[in-house]
Amino acid sequence: MQRGNYRLHSGQYVLWLGPGAVLVPERGASYRTVAGVAGEVRGYRPADRIRVTHGTTTVQVALAPTADGTRTMLRFHQEHLASAEEREQQRAHWQRTLDQAAAVLDQQ
């Protein structure tokens, strides 16, 4: 997935799905992480977004240009979380993931 100056490729899926995740960006493609979390691609729009099931939840990762068009925003949205506590845990997870993605991009 590519938009502006950010490209999301299979090596970067490990950042947000977890180690061992090999994801083919095609509707219906399945994956499994080393931790045993399984899921499948529910939707994919090249250069825009991907939606996957992740265990009992659904995760969407989207790319969007900033208002001035010079940078790209990376957004995560996770649905069907069980409780406020799980939402807070996942919010912290996604913040760490964004920090890791920024570090990877800073090295490029």
Side-chain angles (χ1 to χ4, degrees):
M1 200 160 61
Q2 181 172 329
R3 181 179 288 253
N5 57 3
Y6 184 73
R7 182 169 181 265
L8 185 63
H9 58 79
S10 60
Q12 290 167 319
Y13 294 134
V14 142
L15 286 175
W16 55 278
L17 288 176
V22 176
L23 189 62
V24 177
E26 296 175 0
R27 189 174 176 88
S30 61
Y31 73 90
R32 180 174 297 275
T33 68
V34 169
V37 178
E40 73 175 39
V41 176
R42 290 294 173 96
Y44 176 65
R45 287 195 269 175
D48 186 45
R49 70 191 65 214
I50 190 166
R51 286 178 61 84
V52 300
T53 59
H54 187 69
T56 61
T57 70
T58 299
V59 176
Q60 178 172 284
V61 180
L63 302 173
T66 57
D68 63 9
T70 62
R71 296 180 295 160
T72 302
M73 291 184 288
L74 175 61
R75 296 182 182 180
F76 294 94
H77 178 75
Q78 189 167 13
E79 302 169 354
H80 311 297
L81 296 169
S83 65
E85 181 181 347
E86 186 178 17
R87 279 190 295 281
E88 190 54 41
Q89 289 172 348
Q90 287 307 106
R91 184 177 292 119
H93 166 75
W94 294 123
Q95 185 58 57
R96 286 189 306 273
T97 300
L98 286 169
D99 293 343
Q100 291 172 342
V104 168
L105 292 171
D106 285 345
Q107 294 174 0
Q108 294 180 356

